[in-house]
Amino acid sequence: MPTIHEELNRRQLLYSLLMPVMNLYVPGLDKGKGLYFLFIKAETKTPGGLLARPVLTSYYKSDHFKSRPYDPFNVYTSPNETILCPDSIQSMYAQMLCGLIMREEVLRVGAVFASGLLKAIRFLQVNWKQFAHDIETGTLNPKVTDPSVRECMSKILKPNPELAAFITKECSEENWECIITRIWPNTKYLDVIVTGAMAQYIPTLEYYSGGLPMACTMYASSECYFGLNLKPMCKPSEVSYTIMPNMAYFEFLPHDDSSGLVDLADLEVGKEYELIVTTYAGLCRYRVGDILRVTGFHNAAPQFRFIRRKNVLLSIDFDKTDESELQQAIENASVLLKEFNTSVVEYTSYADTKQIPGHYVIYWELFVKDAANGPTDEVLSQCCFQMEESLNVVYRQCRVADSIGPLEIRVVKNGTFEELMDYAISRGASINQYKVPRCVSFTPIMELLDSRVVSKHFSPALPHWTPERRR
Ligand code: AMP
């Protein structure tokens, strides 16, 4: 995405509004610190010689971030050196270690998207023994080799056997429920985006945080920063973002109707639109690919619920299943897993057209709390059926007409989606901005997923469909 230096001022402006808004709802945030997992990626050059890097990397590397004046509302546990370390594992290690050392000062815990915070929790699960060792002895793990990280950690890390014993006690327990509030007892909320495709992570984050509020503070992209949530403590399902009219020139394409572009001032409450931006950096009437629904106005500025990405995810015949339909179908099916103390922690999908008729394949990574009482094949087959029942009428019609075969769930081993993320990061994705692809077709990814499958289940029956009378 093209960008210009001046754009940093606009991003900074949006960031500078987040804490004043939060302060209206959560007092005392100036009395402690934020534990945020923030990362940069190595930079590359385009064939024409321009610098190419993810949007957040350019922000964290800018003076706007690095030389920000002291602000008691924006004190982070992670020193700049740990955020600016290009090796993401060393960076994560140092940021987590700082978070553990300053655990009692932490008032909010976050990452950009929910997936980043869950990656950090997983990292703690794998590495807590090393952290406890470092804290006990006051020495930094030799695997952290970055000189500036080592230097800044040497000022923070002091032997603290009591804290090491606490970490060991909490992390060695089998049960990680409420681990966030156990380790960071003063946390008031999680600062993570869980709207749109990230809604999937809400149950897992609730489990780890004992139901702390999740604040979705802003809506932004590499193309342009859009706006903020003026009620950040509301439920994720009720989040609306207020677009800031000074971020770009905004126009809207009414969704599902053929009328022309609408200006920001002329939007209608309740309608869905595709977002079109003309940016200061040079994008002209660019389709961001997000579908938004107008929920109201703040003064004259419209407010939006993020509905979904525009592109259709799955299609075999006439059917078209989009991201939010797939998400809803998965939510409906996972209700059946509740009595088995099991939840879907990650999913992706694939339209398998190798056989005729083609069929939907849904990859599930499950979290089974009690392995002896996990869901059986029969239950998982019923989940397939429940998903089919939840999909749209055209899908169900194609199923009944046998132009689509039974939906299949492939359960994959724990940690598979983390491997998928690592693979994407190794190919240049940024941890901050990473989003699990909700549909896959790229061969190496398919091979990775298929090599981790532990069981396959198919829908046992046709979903309900009755012909509608046509006019
Ligand atoms: P990127 O350019 O990688 O930063 O991704 C930007 C995209 O992430 C947006 O176009 C949205 O689809 C999604 N996104 C960003 N912020 C939010 C949000 N607050 N809620 C839901 N989706 C979001």
Side-chain angles (χ1 to χ4, degrees):
M1 292 302 154
T3 192
I4 50 175
H5 186 71
E6 165 204 326
E7 195 61 20
L8 283 167
N9 298 334
R10 254 172 237 111
R11 292 180 198 153
Q12 177 79 16
L13 174 67
L14 207 159
Y15 285 128
S16 72
L17 294 174
L18 302 181
M19 286 315 282
V21 172
M22 192 54 89
N23 188 42
L24 296 175
Y25 299 93
V26 188
L29 289 171
D30 54 338
K31 307 284 183 297
K33 296 185 178 175
L35 166 56
Y36 284 88
F37 296 94
L38 308 175
F39 303 92
I40 60 153
K41 283 292 300 182
E43 290 158 347
T44 54
K45 284 246 160 92
T46 67
L50 290 173
L51 193 61
R53 54 190 182 183
V55 61
L56 291 170
T57 299
S58 70
Y59 180 69
Y60 301 142
K61 284 193 156 187
S62 72
D63 284 336
H64 290 69
F65 180 77
K66 284 196 295 192
S67 314
R68 58 195 184 278
Y70 175 78
D71 168 3
F73 286 92
N74 274 311
V75 182
Y76 300 140
T77 52
S78 302
N80 285 0
E81 291 83 346
T82 61
I83 297 171
L84 296 171
C85 167
D87 181 312
S88 59
I89 295 183
Q90 295 185 36
S91 167
M92 174 85 88
Y93 193 94
Q95 295 193 52
M96 181 59 86
L97 192 53
C98 293
L100 294 173
I101 294 169
M102 300 174 216
R103 71 179 199 96
E104 276 166 4
E105 292 165 76
V106 170
L107 300 183
R108 48 201 175 114
V109 175
V112 178
F113 289 121
S115 52
L117 181 55
L118 287 172
K119 189 167 173 65
I121 302 287
R122 173 93 192 116
F123 192 83
L124 179 60
Q125 233 160 7
V126 174
N127 294 294
W128 63 264
K129 283 190 186 140
Q130 282 93 310
F131 290 129
H133 175 269
D134 291 7
I135 292 171
E136 178 160 10
T137 57
T139 56
L140 183 60
N141 190 322
K143 285 194 185 139
V144 179
T145 53
D146 185 295
S148 54
V149 174
R150 289 202 73 86
E151 202 202 317
C152 88
M153 291 306 294
S154 70
K155 293 180 201 135
I156 296 171
L157 195 56
K158 303 274 172 311
N160 187 343
E162 202 182 316
L163 177 58
F166 172 82
I167 306 279
T168 304
K169 180 178 144 292
E170 293 299 337
C171 296
S172 57
E173 270 186 33
E174 186 84 351
N175 183 348
W176 271 50
E177 199 165 350
C178 301
I179 194 73
I180 296 182
T181 38
R182 282 196 265 143
I183 296 192
W184 295 284
N186 300 318
T187 313
K188 298 183 183 214
Y189 67 94
L190 302 182
D191 195 342
V192 275
I193 290 172
V194 286
T195 41
M198 302 288 156
Q200 169 65 22
Y201 300 107
I202 294 173
T204 316
L205 283 175
E206 276 174 345
Y207 174 78
Y208 286 131
S209 74
L212 280 179
M214 292 169 214
C216 303
T217 55
M218 64 186 281
Y219 170 41
S221 75
S222 308
E223 293 87 335
C224 169
Y225 280 26
F226 307 120
L228 74 171
N229 176 4
L230 293 173
K231 292 193 182 138
M233 298 311 276
C234 72
K235 281 200 231 141
S237 57
E238 284 160 17
V239 171
S240 283
Y241 298 101
T242 305
I243 284 202
M244 287 177 42
N246 45 352
M247 290 285 136
Y249 191 82
F250 295 102
E251 290 172 289
F252 297 83
L253 197 57
H255 194 54
D256 292 337
D257 101 32
S258 53
S259 50
L261 285 181
V262 181
D263 268 323
L264 192 68
D266 301 326
L267 297 174
E268 286 177 48
V269 173
K271 270 198 161 187
E272 289 184 7
Y273 298 90
E274 186 186 334
L275 178 63
I276 315 273
V277 289
T278 297
T279 65
Y280 289 90
L283 293 175
C284 184
R285 291 198 157 162
Y286 177 93
R287 299 172 80 157
V288 176
D290 292 346
I291 305 291
L292 311 174
R293 184 186 303 138
V294 183
T295 53
F297 289 87
H298 174 76
N299 298 329
Q303 301 183 296
F304 299 88
R305 180 142 310 152
F306 182 93
I307 302 296
R308 61 184 171 84
R309 292 288 297 174
K310 190 185 67 189
N311 295 340
V312 169
L313 279 188
L314 292 165
S315 176
I316 300 272
D317 191 28
F318 293 117
D319 57 303
K320 289 184 182 53
T321 297
D322 67 39
E323 199 174 273
S324 55
E325 288 171 320
L326 182 64
Q327 164 85 22
Q328 189 58 55
I330 286 176
E331 274 174 25
N332 293 351
S334 42
V335 172
L336 301 178
L337 301 175
K338 274 210 178 117
E339 66 175 287
F340 301 92
N341 260 325
T342 298
S343 55
V344 180
V345 280
E346 275 296 4
Y347 69 86
T348 190
S349 65
Y350 169 61
D352 185 351
T353 49
K354 285 197 275 305
Q355 294 144 11
I356 295 175
H359 71 294
Y360 287 12
V361 176
I362 316 295
Y363 293 90
W364 271 10
E365 185 171 319
L366 298 177
F367 176 48
V368 186
K369 276 185 213 155
D370 171 12
N373 178 32
T376 57
D377 170 56
E378 201 193 330
V379 174
L380 287 161
S381 304
Q382 278 306 318
C383 290
C384 297
F385 179 69
Q386 186 56 52
M387 282 196 67
E388 294 204 296
E389 283 281 72
S390 310
L391 291 172
N392 64 41
V393 61
V394 183
Y395 174 87
R396 285 179 280 121
Q397 179 180 14
C398 291
R399 269 288 282 137
V400 172
D402 206 24
S403 61
I404 300 182
L407 184 143
E408 177 183 359
I409 289 178
R410 293 186 190 161
V411 177
V412 294
K413 271 200 336 218
N414 279 0
T416 302
F417 279 81
E418 209 192 345
E419 285 186 64
L420 207 70
M421 182 171 184
D422 291 341
Y423 177 75
I425 291 166
S426 74
R427 286 173 52 93
S430 118
I431 300 188
N432 297 304
Q433 288 166 247
Y434 177 76
K435 300 160 200 78
V436 175
R438 292 303 178 205
C439 182
V440 290
S441 56
F442 185 52
T443 309
I445 290 190
M446 303 297 308
E447 285 172 358
L448 194 158
L449 285 169
D450 281 326
S451 67
R452 304 291 187 274
V453 169
V454 289
S455 62
K456 298 182 176 184
H457 314 271
F458 289 90
S459 178
L462 291 176
H464 153 91
W465 177 74
T466 43
E468 279 167 31
R469 196 176 294 153
R470 299 207 182 273
R471 272 187 275 168

